[in-house]
């Protein structure tokens, strides 16, 4: 009986044996060595034809059966044949085991390669040089009907078509055995292009010593390229933001050593060759303003205002500093971001503001004292501060200078004045020249807002203006001078009376002088004659005349009225 064997060949040089149906009572031997199989098959057929196989079978499995051995040589040949068959069978089993192991391993490798190709988004396609035809080997990158080399090149990025064509011809000519492949390929149509970035290797397969196929094993890296482009753009954007940021910013590693700084930080730290070396060689946690405040490995952010005093590089500034730790995806500390701001000017302004606030508080306290004193004076001197508004035609009065105590219109104000003064006041209100100057005037009111009795007020004021220089009203003081006016009127009356009394006294003295002049003349005349009289009788007569003149009623009354006038 002939032996039968089926072998199926798979890709990547792997072998897989089909199941072999062996009918009962048949023996089949499987192996790689075709010549050996054919020799065993020939020997087996001859033994079967000679009846030796049946005899051997009966000897081992049916000893009750007897056979006549015509020759011992035939028996030895039979035994040798059986041994050879057994050895061949064992070899066949060993070969079958190895084939199965190799097939299983090949199938596992094939499965792993398929999974790897699928997971890695790989494609395999080949170009048949003789047929000028490209077809998919794995994946669906090329249309099912395939493409010619020209059609494939037309689907590439126009900028690289010529370069790809040159490299392909180099592979076809056998000048190169493999080449790196990185191209943009359109898997869509011209109307609706779908560009993919492919990266891989092109390998030449030869036949009869000449290039026959070009196999392309490529990976679709479109997502990676797009992600890289986005990351690049984002990185460029953040780099520009980092460099053009208005905030001084720097990066330190987790050990506290400087990685990079932007331009604002360079300006803040006044970077030159010496200072840059200082900042790059000094650990951030050793800076005096952070030492003992922020320790190495700290995971919490920090925000402080400190004095940056580094005499080594000539820095003396007050800065606001923020430190924020950066963590990786596993939550481990990766680096620190430090932002700073020079607040030296703000600190100076703040200190000046505090000083100004103290001065303002002192001034405010002094104003309160002055206002209290002024209010006291206003309240006790019967004075009011008044304001007028030309637009609303109103006047307001106050003693505290803070709030209005009384308000009235211009018409009410004029109506309170005695009629004999109204015409003059109305004329002044209508005169623009008068209304734009300071004034002092005394008004006689029929009543006031705090009393129903007539009163005299001394009113003074100055014009007030808005930001545009337009007059908006008056500001001034109104003082009740009723008592002063009354006192002045009394003084006038007393002055008139005094003047009348003086006139009466002058007339009285003139009359008295005339009345006493005649007797005095007689007394003086006779007194002058006494020395000239020689006789005693004449002298005594003159003395008598003098006494008579002194005793006359006119003279006595005159002296009496004189004394009375002196007492008056």
């Amino acid at each position: 009986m002939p032996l039968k064997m089926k072998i199926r060949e798979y890709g990547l040089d792997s072998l897989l044996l089909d199941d072999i149906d062996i009918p009962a009572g048949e023996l089949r031997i499987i192996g790689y060595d075709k010549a050996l199989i054919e020799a065993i098959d020939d020997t087996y057929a001859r033994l079967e034809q000679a009846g030796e196989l049946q005899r051997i079978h009966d000897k081992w499995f049916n000893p009750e059966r007897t056979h006549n051995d015509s020759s011992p040589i035939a028996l030895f040949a039979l035994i040798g044949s059986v041994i050879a068959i057994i050895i061949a069978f064992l070899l066949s089993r060993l070969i079958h085991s190895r084939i199965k192991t190799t097939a299983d391993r090949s199938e596992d490798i094939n499965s792993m390669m398929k999974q790897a190709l699928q997971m890695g988004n790989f494609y395999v396609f080949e170009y048949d040089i003789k047929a000028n035809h490209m077809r998919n080997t794995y994946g669906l990158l090329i249309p099912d009907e395939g493409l010619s080399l020209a059609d494939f090149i037309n689907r590439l990025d126009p900028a690289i078509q010529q370069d790809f064509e040159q490299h392909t011809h180099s592979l076809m000519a056998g000048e190169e055995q493999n080449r790196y492949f990185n191209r943009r390929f359109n898997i869509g149509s011209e109307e609706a292009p779908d560009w993919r970035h492919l990266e891989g290797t092109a390998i030449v397969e030869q036949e009869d010593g000449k290039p026959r196929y070009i196999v392309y094993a490529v990976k679709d890296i479109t997502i990676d390229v797009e992600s890289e482009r986005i990351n690049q753009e984002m990185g460029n954007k953040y780099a520009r933001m980092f460099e053009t940021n208005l905030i001084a910013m720097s990066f330190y590693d987790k050990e506290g050593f400087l990685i990079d700084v932007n331009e604002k930080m360079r300006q803040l730290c006044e970077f030159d060759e010496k200072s840059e070396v200082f900042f790059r060689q000094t650990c951030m946690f050793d800076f005096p303003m952070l030492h003992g405040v922020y320790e190495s490995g700290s995971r919490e952010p920090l925000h402080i205002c400190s004095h940056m005093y580094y005499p080594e590089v000539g820095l003396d500034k007050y800065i606001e500093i923020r430190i924020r730790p950066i963590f990786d995806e596993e939550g481990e500390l990766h680096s620190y971001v430090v932002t700073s701001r020079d607040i030296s000017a703000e600190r100076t302004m703040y200190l000046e503001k505090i000083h100004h606030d103290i001065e303002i508080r002192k001034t405010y306290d002094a104003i309160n004292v002055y206002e209290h004193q002024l209010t006291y004076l206003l309240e006790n001197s019967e004075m009011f501060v008044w304001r007028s508004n030309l637009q609303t035609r109103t006047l307001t009065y106050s003693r505290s200078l803070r709030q209005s105590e009384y308000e009235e219109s211009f018409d009410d104000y004029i109506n309170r004045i005695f009629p004999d003064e109204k015409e003059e006041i109305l004329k002044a209100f209508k005169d623009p020249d008068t209304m734009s100057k300071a004034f002092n005037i005394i008004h006689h009111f029929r009543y006031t807002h705090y009393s129903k009795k007539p009163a005299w007020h001394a009113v003074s004021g100055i014009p007030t203006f808005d930001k545009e220089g337009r007059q908006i009203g008056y500001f001034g003081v109104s003082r009740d001078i009723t008592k002063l006016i009354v006192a002045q009127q009394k003084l006038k009356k007393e002055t008139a009376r005094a003047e009348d009394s003086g006139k009466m006294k002058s007339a009285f003295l003139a009359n008295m002088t005339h009345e006493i002049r005649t007797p005095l003349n007689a007394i003086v005349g006779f007194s002058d004659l006494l020395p000239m009289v020689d006789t005693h009788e004449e002298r005594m007569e003159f003395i008598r005349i003098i006494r008579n003149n002194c005793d006359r009623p006119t003279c006595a009354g005159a002296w009496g009225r004189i004394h009375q006038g002196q007492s008056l």
Side-chain angles (χ1 to χ4, degrees):
M1 179 182 296
L3 294 176
K4 299 179 182 180
M5 179 176 67
K6 296 180 181 179
I7 300 176
R8 179 176 297 169
E9 181 177 359
Y10 286 90
L12 303 176
D13 297 330
S14 64
L15 298 176
L16 177 62
L17 297 177
D18 290 337
D19 294 334
I20 301 174
D21 298 327
I22 304 175
E26 290 188 6
L27 176 63
R28 296 190 178 184
I29 299 174
I30 302 173
Y32 281 106
D33 194 344
K34 186 177 181 180
L36 178 61
I37 296 298
E38 289 178 353
I40 293 173
D41 191 27
D42 183 69
T43 302
Y44 189 89
R46 289 180 182 180
L47 290 173
E48 188 177 23
Q49 290 175 0
E52 295 296 330
L53 288 179
Q54 184 64 39
R55 194 176 287 111
I56 294 172
H57 183 273
D58 290 341
K59 183 178 180 179
W60 289 95
F61 299 100
N62 299 304
E64 68 275 10
R65 297 178 184 179
T66 59
H67 296 276
N68 294 324
D69 297 329
S70 57
S71 174
I73 298 175
L75 179 60
F76 290 143
L78 178 62
I79 292 172
S81 298
V82 171
I83 292 173
I85 291 171
I86 292 172
I87 293 173
F89 178 75
L90 293 176
L91 290 173
S92 175
R93 294 294 296 176
L94 179 61
I95 293 171
H96 179 270
S97 176
R98 290 182 178 179
I99 291 173
K100 187 176 184 306
T101 302
T102 303
D104 292 341
R105 184 180 299 171
S106 176
E107 185 177 1
D108 292 339
I109 293 173
N110 189 31
S111 177
M112 286 189 294
M113 289 188 66
K114 286 183 178 180
Q115 291 181 2
L117 290 172
Q118 184 178 4
M119 293 175 62
N121 204 13
F122 283 94
Y123 297 94
V124 180
F125 59 96
E126 66 177 13
Y127 172 58
D128 188 339
I129 298 175
K130 287 184 178 181
N132 188 23
H133 184 74
M134 282 191 176
R135 64 181 182 87
N136 293 312
T137 302
Y138 177 81
L140 299 175
L141 184 66
I142 295 174
D144 294 337
E145 65 275 12
L147 293 173
S148 65
L149 180 60
D151 293 335
F152 183 84
I153 293 176
N154 288 333
R155 286 175 174 262
L156 294 173
D157 188 351
I160 60 175
Q161 290 180 1
Q162 185 177 359
D163 180 65
F164 176 80
E165 186 175 5
Q166 291 176 356
H167 291 164
T168 303
H169 286 299
S170 177
L171 292 171
M172 291 168 59
E175 298 174 359
E176 298 179 86
Q177 293 300 315
N178 58 70
R179 173 170 283 277
Y180 175 71
F181 183 89
N182 188 351
R183 299 289 185 267
R184 286 182 70 224
F185 183 74
N186 179 18
I187 65 173
S189 62
E190 293 183 2
E191 294 77 13
D194 185 5
W195 292 97
R196 300 297 178 91
H197 289 267
L198 305 177
E199 181 184 36
T201 305
I203 302 175
V204 176
E205 287 189 357
Q206 296 187 352
E207 187 176 283
D208 298 332
K210 296 182 180 180
R212 180 68 175 84
Y213 299 97
I214 301 177
V215 179
Y216 296 88
V218 298
K219 179 182 179 181
D220 187 350
I221 60 171
T222 305
I223 297 177
D224 297 337
V225 171
E226 186 65 20
S227 299
E228 183 179 358
R229 184 187 64 81
I230 294 173
N231 292 336
Q232 184 68 26
E233 290 179 356
M234 187 174 296
N236 293 336
K237 180 175 70 174
Y238 282 121
R240 289 192 299 270
M241 291 174 59
F242 177 68
E243 286 299 330
T244 60
N245 201 332
L246 297 178
I247 299 175
M249 184 180 297
S250 58
F251 289 95
Y252 286 81
D253 61 20
K254 62 181 180 181
E255 304 299 330
F257 288 96
L258 183 63
I259 300 174
D260 196 8
V261 295
N262 67 354
E263 186 60 30
K264 277 292 182 181
M265 184 64 82
R266 290 177 177 273
Q267 295 175 5
L268 176 65
C269 297
E270 300 178 4
F271 265 29
D272 54 19
E273 184 176 352
K274 180 181 179 181
S275 60
E276 185 168 357
V277 171
F278 169 77
F279 279 102
R280 290 192 180 277
Q281 292 182 349
T282 306
C283 179
M284 174 179 68
F285 305 107
D286 293 334
F287 288 149
M289 62 181 178
L290 296 179
H291 186 68
V293 178
Y294 204 61
E295 301 294 339
S296 176
S298 298
R299 301 173 67 90
E300 298 296 327
L302 176 69
H303 179 200
I304 60 171
C305 295
S306 182
H307 186 194
M308 185 172 67
Y309 179 63
Y310 302 143
E312 301 91 340
V313 291
L315 281 178
D316 185 6
K317 296 182 179 180
Y318 290 87
I319 64 171
E320 176 188 23
I321 183 171
R322 295 176 185 266
I323 303 177
R324 182 172 295 277
I326 304 299
F327 305 96
D328 57 19
E329 295 179 354
E330 286 74 27
E332 297 297 327
L333 182 63
H334 179 267
S335 57
Y336 293 94
V337 177
V338 180
T339 58
S340 302
R341 188 168 62 91
D342 188 352
I343 59 172
S344 300
E346 294 182 15
R347 179 179 180 274
T348 302
M349 293 175 60
Y350 177 74
L351 294 178
E352 291 179 354
K353 178 180 178 299
I354 293 177
H355 177 71
H356 291 163
D357 289 343
I358 295 174
E359 295 298 324
I360 290 173
R361 191 176 299 111
K362 291 180 179 179
T363 304
Y364 181 77
D365 293 340
I367 290 174
N368 285 337
V369 172
Y370 296 150
E371 182 178 353
H372 177 73
Q373 294 174 349
L374 180 59
T375 301
Y376 174 80
L377 292 175
L378 291 174
E379 289 177 350
N380 290 273
S381 62
E382 298 182 351
M383 294 177 65
F384 291 88
V385 177
W386 63 274
R387 297 177 186 274
S388 68
N389 190 319
L390 296 179
Q391 185 176 1
T392 60
R393 295 182 60 80
T394 57
L395 296 97
T396 56
Y397 299 87
S398 172
R399 283 181 175 174
S400 64
L401 299 178
R402 289 184 179 270
Q403 60 182 4
S404 173
E405 298 179 12
Y406 178 74
E407 183 176 343
E408 65 179 349
S409 65
F410 283 2
D411 295 335
D412 294 337
Y413 179 85
I414 294 173
N415 289 332
R416 290 194 296 111
I417 299 176
F418 277 91
D420 56 343
E421 297 183 12
K422 282 185 180 181
E423 184 176 353
E424 184 179 355
I425 297 301
L426 290 173
K427 186 184 297 183
F429 277 1
K430 295 178 182 179
D431 186 5
D433 187 54
T434 303
M435 293 297 293
S436 62
K437 297 179 180 179
F439 66 89
N440 286 291
I441 193 171
I442 297 176
H443 287 161
H444 190 193
F445 295 101
R446 296 185 294 112
Y447 60 90
T448 63
H449 55 272
Y450 58 89
S451 176
K452 298 298 182 181
K453 298 179 180 180
W456 294 86
H457 278 205
V459 182
S460 61
I462 57 174
T464 57
F465 304 89
D466 59 13
K467 295 180 179 180
E468 286 73 25
R470 294 172 297 188
Q471 185 178 356
I472 58 175
Y474 268 91
F475 170 81
V477 176
S478 177
R479 183 164 60 94
D480 188 346
I481 59 171
T482 303
K483 294 180 180 179
L484 179 61
I485 295 298
V486 171
Q488 287 180 347
Q489 290 177 346
K490 288 183 179 179
L491 180 60
K492 287 181 180 180
K493 290 181 180 180
E494 292 299 328
T495 302
R497 288 182 57 189
E499 290 178 351
D500 293 342
S501 176
K503 290 178 181 179
M504 292 176 64
K505 182 181 290 187
S506 298
F508 172 77
L509 291 175
N511 292 332
M512 289 300 100
T513 302
H514 177 72
E515 289 182 1
I516 65 175
R517 183 177 295 118
T518 300
L520 285 176
N521 288 334
I523 294 171
V524 172
F526 282 100
S527 296
D528 292 334
L529 292 175
L530 282 177
M532 298 175 62
V533 178
D534 297 330
T535 64
H536 178 71
E537 289 80 4
E538 289 179 352
R539 188 177 292 112
M540 291 301 296
E541 181 64 24
F542 284 171
I543 292 172
R544 182 182 62 79
I545 292 172
I546 291 171
R547 285 180 177 175
N548 287 338
N549 281 284
C550 290
D551 292 335
R552 288 181 63 182
T554 301
C555 186
W559 284 111
R561 282 192 289 272
I562 290 172
H563 288 292
Q564 186 178 4
Q566 289 177 349
S567 64
L568 290 177

